Amino acid sequence: MARAPAIEFWYEFASTYSWLAASRITDAAAEAGVAIRWRPFLLGPIFSSQGWNTSPFNLYPAKGRYMWRDVEREAARLGLACRKPAPFPQNSLNAARVALFGADEPWGPHFTRAVFAREFEEGASIEEPSAIRDILRGLDLDAGEIMKGATGDANKTRLRALTEEARSRHIFGAPTFFTEDGEMFWGADRLDAALAWATGERPGILR
Amino acid sequence: MARAPAIEFWYEFASTYSWLAASRITDAAAEAGVAIRWRPFLLGPIFSSQGWNTSPFNLYPAKGRYMWRDVEREAARLGLACRKPAPFPQNSLNAARVALFGADEPWGPHFTRAVFAREFEEGASIEEPSAIRDILRGLDLDAGEIMKGATGDANKTRLRALTEEARSRHIFGAPTFFTEDGEMFWGADRLDAALAWATGERPGILR
C-alpha cells in the first residue's frame, strides 16, 4: 500500500487566515487523502527582521481594515462567527509552545482549533498561561503535565529551531503549506491548491 | 427590465494579479450577468505614501520569489504563459492613460488585455509610447488620434483624479473590486466572490 501524500501546515496563532485554514484543513485533507504535518511557528521574528514591529495589518491601516471585513466574509462562508481579540495581534508564544508539544499527538489538532476558536470566534485572549490551561482542561487534558513539557527547555529549543527553519525556507507569512516535493503555497486561499498538488495534480499547462 | 448589476475593476498595469484578473474578468462577468466598470489607476503614488519606492515584491524578496511561482501556477490554470518583464515593475503611466481614455469605449478592454499579454505573457516592455502605439496598431486602432487624446490635459487630470479616488476609498493594492453597495474585494482570488456579491449572494451566515 502506498503511503499517503502529506502537506506541512505552517501556522501562527496570531494570524486570522491561519485560523480560517485550521478550521477546515482536517476535513479538506481527509477528503483529498492527504496527511497533515502540523507546524506551529512564530512569525514575529520573521516580521521583525524585515523591520515590522507588529502585524502588517496594523502597520497598514487600510489593509488591516479590509482584512477584518474579508475574514468576516470568509468565516461566514464556513459558518463561523468572527470577533477581533484585544490586543491584536495576540502574543502567541504560549499557545505555540503547547501546540508544538502536541503536534504529533492525537490532541494536537484539537488544541490548535480550540485556541483559534477562543481567539477569533469568541474574541478572547490566548496570551496568558491561564488561558492555555483553560483550553487544555476544556479538552479533558492534563494541563499541568502538558504545560510542564511545553515550557521545558527541549520544547522551547524545538520551537526556536522551527521558527529558524521557517525563515530558512523563505516563509514570509502564514498560513504556508509545503508539499513533499518542496512546492510552497501561501494563504488560506491556497489550501485546496496545495492539497491538489500533493496528490499529483498540476494546474493547466504547467510543466 | 432591471439594470444589470455592476462591479468596478480597479487595476494597475504593473501588477501581475491585475493581469490574471483582467484575463478572465470579461467571461466571468458575462456568465454572472454583471457589467464591468474599468478603472485603470496608478498604485505607485499609494505605495509611495506608505514609504515604498518600488513593488513590495521587490522590497520583500521572499514574498517576491513566491509571487512569481504562484502567478506562474495561476496563469497555467488559465492556459497562459508567464514571463517576467525587465524591469519589474514596469512604468505603467502611458498604458494607464490610454486605458483610461478608452475605458468606456468598445476597444478599451481589448487594449487592456493586449497590454497585459505583452507585458506578462511575452515579457516585453510596455513603458515607452512606441510600445503603446504598437499595441494600438495591433488592434487596428488609430494610434495617433488615441495617443493625442490620452496625453491631453483632460485625460491626464482624469487619471490623477482616479488615483486620488483610489486612495480616498482606501485601496491599498490591485486588483480591487467594488460592488455598487460599496463592498470591497482585493485580489484576483476574490473576483468570483465580488461577482457573486454583486448578484446579491451573501456568504453563509453573514448578515
Side-chain angles (χ1 to χ4, degrees):
Chain A
M1 206 177 86
R3 198 176 59 87
I7 59 169
E8 296 174 20
F9 171 36
W10 290 75
Y11 59 101
E12 152 66 77
F13 279 110
S15 148
T16 49
Y17 291 101
S18 291
W19 159 51
L20 294 177
S23 71
R24 71 180 196 89
I25 194 172
T26 300
D27 288 351
E31 194 170 324
V34 173
I36 307 165
R37 315 260 181 260
W38 299 75
R39 298 284 185 271
F41 76 111
L42 299 177
L43 201 47
I46 292 175
F47 281 175
S48 292
S49 67
Q50 53 193 45
W52 296 347
N53 61 354
T54 179
S55 164
F57 297 121
N58 290 344
L59 292 170
Y60 304 108
K63 192 166 186 170
R65 202 169 76 153
Y66 170 78
M67 180 277 282
W68 284 106
R69 180 57 175 167
D70 185 58
V71 165
E72 187 180 28
R73 289 189 309 238
E74 293 296 302
R77 200 185 299 281
L78 300 168
L80 303 175
C82 173
R83 291 191 182 83
K84 182 175 176 174
F88 175 82
Q90 290 272 292
N91 182 324
S92 54
L93 177 62
N94 290 314
R97 281 181 178 160
V98 171
L100 181 59
F101 187 67
D104 302 322
E105 307 292 333
W107 58 265
H110 297 287
F111 173 77
T112 286
R113 281 189 297 270
V115 171
F116 277 127
R118 181 183 172 110
E119 181 182 22
F120 292 122
E121 294 168 46
E122 298 169 28
S125 176
I126 60 152
E127 297 195 334
E128 306 76 21
S130 61
I132 304 299
R133 276 193 295 266
D134 276 358
I135 292 168
L136 290 168
R137 283 192 208 103
L139 296 167
D140 281 330
L141 295 164
D142 184 337
E145 193 64 26
I146 289 174
M147 290 299 276
K148 198 177 149 193
T151 56
D153 282 345
N155 193 61
K156 284 183 181 175
T157 300
R158 196 178 157 209
L159 181 59
R160 275 195 294 271
L162 201 65
T163 297
E164 256 329 294
E165 183 186 339
R167 190 199 308 272
S168 74
R169 292 172 74 184
H170 307 295
I171 286 179
F172 57 86
T176 293
F177 312 96
F178 281 102
T179 55
E180 289 167 290
D181 58 352
E183 193 75 14
M184 179 175 168
F185 296 85
W186 170 56
D189 290 334
R190 290 288 179 270
L191 170 56
D192 297 306
L195 292 171
W197 189 283
T199 62
E201 228 179 81
R202 294 294 174 270
I205 61 172
L206 201 69
R207 284 158 301 273
Chain B
M1 206 175 85
R3 199 175 59 86
I7 60 169
E8 295 174 21
F9 171 36
W10 290 74
Y11 59 100
E12 152 65 77
F13 279 111
S15 149
T16 49
Y17 291 101
S18 291
W19 161 50
L20 294 177
S23 72
R24 70 181 196 88
I25 193 171
T26 300
D27 289 350
E31 194 170 324
V34 173
I36 307 166
R37 314 261 181 261
W38 300 76
R39 298 283 186 269
F41 76 111
L42 299 177
L43 201 47
I46 291 175
F47 280 176
S48 293
S49 66
Q50 52 192 44
W52 296 346
N53 61 353
T54 179
S55 163
F57 297 121
N58 291 343
L59 292 170
Y60 305 107
K63 192 166 186 169
R65 202 169 76 152
Y66 170 78
M67 180 276 282
W68 285 106
R69 179 59 174 167
D70 186 58
V71 166
E72 188 179 28
R73 289 189 308 238
E74 293 297 303
R77 200 186 299 282
L78 300 169
L80 303 175
C82 172
R83 291 192 182 83
K84 183 176 175 173
F88 174 81
Q90 290 273 293
N91 183 324
S92 54
L93 177 63
N94 291 314
R97 280 180 179 159
V98 172
L100 182 60
F101 187 67
D104 303 321
E105 306 293 332
W107 59 266
H110 297 287
F111 172 77
T112 285
R113 281 189 298 270
V115 171
F116 277 127
R118 180 181 173 112
E119 181 182 22
F120 292 122
E121 294 168 47
E122 297 168 29
S125 175
I126 61 152
E127 297 195 333
E128 305 75 22
S130 62
I132 304 299
R133 276 193 295 267
D134 277 357
I135 291 168
L136 289 168
R137 283 192 209 103
L139 296 168
D140 281 328
L141 295 165
D142 184 337
E145 194 64 25
I146 289 174
M147 290 299 276
K148 197 177 150 193
T151 56
D153 282 344
N155 193 61
K156 283 183 180 176
T157 301
R158 195 178 157 207
L159 181 59
R160 276 194 294 271
L162 201 63
T163 298
E164 257 328 295
E165 183 185 339
R167 192 199 306 273
S168 74
R169 291 171 75 183
H170 307 295
I171 286 179
F172 57 87
T176 293
F177 312 96
F178 281 103
T179 56
E180 289 167 289
D181 59 352
E183 193 75 14
M184 178 174 168
F185 296 84
W186 170 56
D189 291 335
R190 290 287 179 272
L191 169 56
D192 297 305
L195 292 171
W197 190 283
T199 63
E201 228 180 82
R202 293 295 174 268
I205 62 172
L206 201 71
R207 285 159 302 272

